[in-house]
């Protein structure tokens, strides 16, 4: 039972364009969401997060949008750069003050072409 | 070291063999997590320590898996009588706070286990 789904295994984008990575979740109890970036042979690194009380969070080139009614979130990268090429994982957690478990999606491979 | 350190980086075990995977978290970090990542999948939660206390072990797939953090720093994940389905990357992560919100969790590079 996949509670967090990333339906696009891969995405290819031209340098300078927008990259949009999508994530859907099924558990309505989730109230904190994160995106992680992973390069080959390295551990995931934290990118950006959003609480369920917000619908948007922005950090430089990265913006995460949350649509609670649709149980959907997306990560926008503008402008995309070749160094953004990596695997992106969406993750969700419930009860952020006390919960310790992250539930991850399967990941989306982003390739930014120069 | 500056980051989360895991050893060994690569381990090939024969089916039925016991293995031990070590995690050195960032110094002073209270929280320590173990995740299992199978090929082509996202990381899956195994267990969580707050200092030396194992507060959540709900993700351990069977009683062949055991984790400890006796002094609240280094942690060991032990897998007994390994099976082929145990082949995965085992990721350790640590953070300076408890909980998830506003808390950056740092992952190690992982221990790649292959059971043959």
């Amino acid at each position: 039972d996949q509670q967090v789904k990333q339906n696009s295994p891969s995405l290819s984008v031209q340098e300078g364009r927008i990259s949009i990575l999508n994530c859907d979740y099924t558990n309505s109890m989730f109230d904190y969401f994160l995106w992680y970036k992973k390069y080959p042979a390295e551990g995931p690194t934290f990118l950006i997060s959003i609480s369920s009380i917000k619908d948007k969070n922005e950090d430089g080139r990265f913006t995460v949008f949350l649509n609670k009614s649709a149980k959907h979130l997306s990560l926008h990268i503008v402008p995309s750069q070749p160094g953004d090429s990596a695997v992106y994982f969406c993750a969700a957690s419930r009860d952020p003050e006390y919960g310790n478990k992250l539930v991850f999606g399967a990941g989306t491979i982003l390739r930014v072409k120069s | 070291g500056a980051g989360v350190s895991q050893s060994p980086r690569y381990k090939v075990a024969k089916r039925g063999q016991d293995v031990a995977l070590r995690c050195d978290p960032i110094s002073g970090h209270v929280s320590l997590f173990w995740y299992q990542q199978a090929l082509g999948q996202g990381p899956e939660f195994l267990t969580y320590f707050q200092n030396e206390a194992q507060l959540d072990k709900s993700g351990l797939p069977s009683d062949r898996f055991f984790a400890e953090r006796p002094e609240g720093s280094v942690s060991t994940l032990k897998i007994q009588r390994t099976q082929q389905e145990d082949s995965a990357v085992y990721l350790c992560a640590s953070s300076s706070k408890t909980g998830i919100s506003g808390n950056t969790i740092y992952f190690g590079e992982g221990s790649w286990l292959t059971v043959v």
Side-chain angles (χ1 to χ4, degrees), chain B residues 23 52 75 77 114:
Chain B
C23 173
E52 69 279 3
S75 177
L77 176 67
T114 302

Side-chain angles (χ1 to χ4, degrees), chain A residues 77-114:
Chain A
I77 307 173
V78 184
S80 300
Q81 299 173 353
D84 296 330
S85 298
V87 181
Y88 289 79
F89 291 100
C90 171
S93 176
R94 53 178 293 187
D95 196 5
E97 289 297 314
Y98 302 102
N100 302 292
K101 183 186 306 185
L102 290 175
V103 180
F104 284 85
T108 296
I109 301 169
L110 173 65
R111 182 182 300 123
V112 179
K113 298 176 289 186
S114 56

Side-chain angles (χ1 to χ4, degrees), chain A residues 37-93:
Chain A
K37 176 180 178 180
K38 185 182 182 304
Y39 292 117
E42 293 185 11
T45 56
F46 171 76
L47 201 54
I48 193 170
S49 63
I50 188 167
S51 165
S52 60
I53 62 173
K54 295 184 175 182
D55 54 17
K56 176 182 175 181
N57 188 26
E58 192 172 350
D59 183 2
R61 297 185 297 114
F62 303 91
T63 303
V64 55
F65 295 92
L66 176 62
N67 182 333
K68 283 181 61 179
S69 61
K71 295 191 180 68
H72 177 83
L73 64 157
S74 60
L75 174 68
H76 292 210
I77 307 173
V78 184
S80 300
Q81 299 173 353
D84 296 330
S85 298
V87 181
Y88 289 79
F89 291 100
C90 171
S93 176

Side-chain angles (χ1 to χ4, degrees), chain B residues 43-103:
Chain B
E44 288 196 10
F45 173 83
L46 292 177
T47 187
Y48 166 70
F49 290 86
Q50 184 177 327
N51 296 308
E52 69 279 3
Q54 189 175 21
L55 298 187
D56 188 345
K57 53 181 181 179
S58 62
L60 295 176
S62 77
D63 59 7
R64 295 187 296 104
F65 287 71
F66 173 76
E68 60 183 3
R69 193 187 185 199
E71 296 177 359
S73 55
V74 171
S75 177
T76 303
L77 176 67
K78 297 179 180 178
I79 309 174
Q80 297 178 320
R81 304 181 303 281
T82 52
Q83 304 293 319
Q84 284 190 317
E85 62 262 29
D86 300 334
S87 296
V89 178
Y90 290 85
L91 294 164
C92 178
S94 72
S95 65
S96 61
K97 302 177 185 178
T98 61
I100 300 291
S101 176
N103 184 12

Side-chain angles (χ1 to χ4, degrees), chain B residues 5-55:
Chain B
S5 178
Q6 294 188 244
S7 61
R9 287 294 315 280
Y10 303 95
K11 174 71 178 177
V12 178
K14 291 185 178 179
R15 189 160 56 95
Q17 186 180 351
D18 296 349
V19 299
L21 308 176
R22 176 187 169 104
C23 173
D24 281 87
I26 295 172
S27 179
H29 275 197
V30 169
S31 295
L32 186 144
F33 308 82
W34 283 99
Y35 282 81
Q36 179 191 58
Q37 185 178 11
L39 191 63
Q41 301 297 317
E44 288 196 10
F45 173 83
L46 292 177
T47 187
Y48 166 70
F49 290 86
Q50 184 177 327
N51 296 308
E52 69 279 3
Q54 189 175 21
L55 298 187

